Amino acid sequence: MNNVVPFPGEPRNKGGSGDGGGPEDPMLEQRVARLESDLAEIKTLLKGLSNDIKGLVEVFADVKGRLAKMDGELSGIGHRFAALPSTWTMLAIVFTTWALGSGILIFAMNFLKR
């Protein structure tokens, strides 16, 4: 291990022989055990999240289907509104009706005077 350069101010062999034969920290096994339990907890949480995500995918698929249905219905309403007469057409119908009504009334009054 001659190619390892120590940090400045640190002794060359810190409590061990420096040959890599064992851990320098006696608490290493406890730390590894705690990390393993934490990892097991993380795996459990991820499995739960996976199930939640699958549920959300189903909900989003349902929402997507509903939105497609609403889009089709709104498209149909748009075609129905397009088929309605415009404002100018309605005004022409109203004025024509008034003109015809006035003409019939004038004809009736002239016919009855005789």
Side-chain angles (χ1 to χ4, degrees):
M1 303 258 323
N2 292 335
N3 60 351
V4 177
V5 178
F7 285 110
E10 248 185 65
R12 186 91 168 138
N13 287 332
K14 186 174 148 184
S17 63
D19 61 357
E24 295 178 8
D25 187 3
M27 304 279 289
L28 183 63
E29 287 186 30
Q30 293 174 354
R31 291 170 48 200
V32 168
R34 192 174 73 223
L35 286 173
E36 287 174 346
S37 68
D38 289 347
L39 184 60
E41 184 179 341
I42 289 172
K43 284 182 179 180
T44 304
L45 290 173
L46 284 177
K47 285 180 186 176
L49 287 175
S50 175
N51 292 335
D52 291 345
I53 289 172
K54 287 177 186 176
L56 287 175
V57 167
E58 292 173 3
V59 169
F60 286 138
D62 181 48
V63 169
K64 185 178 178 182
R66 288 183 184 181
L67 286 176
K69 180 180 174 186
M70 287 175 56
D71 186 34
E73 290 174 357
L74 290 176
S75 174
I77 289 173
H79 291 299
R80 290 178 67 188
F81 277 125
L84 290 175
S86 67
T87 304
W88 290 109
T89 305
M90 290 299 292
L91 286 174
I93 291 170
V94 168
F95 289 136
T96 303
T97 304
W98 287 347
L100 287 174
S102 298
I104 291 171
L105 185 62
I106 291 171
F107 174 75
M109 288 178 66
N110 284 335
F111 186 73
L112 291 176
K113 277 187 185 181
R114 292 184 187 177

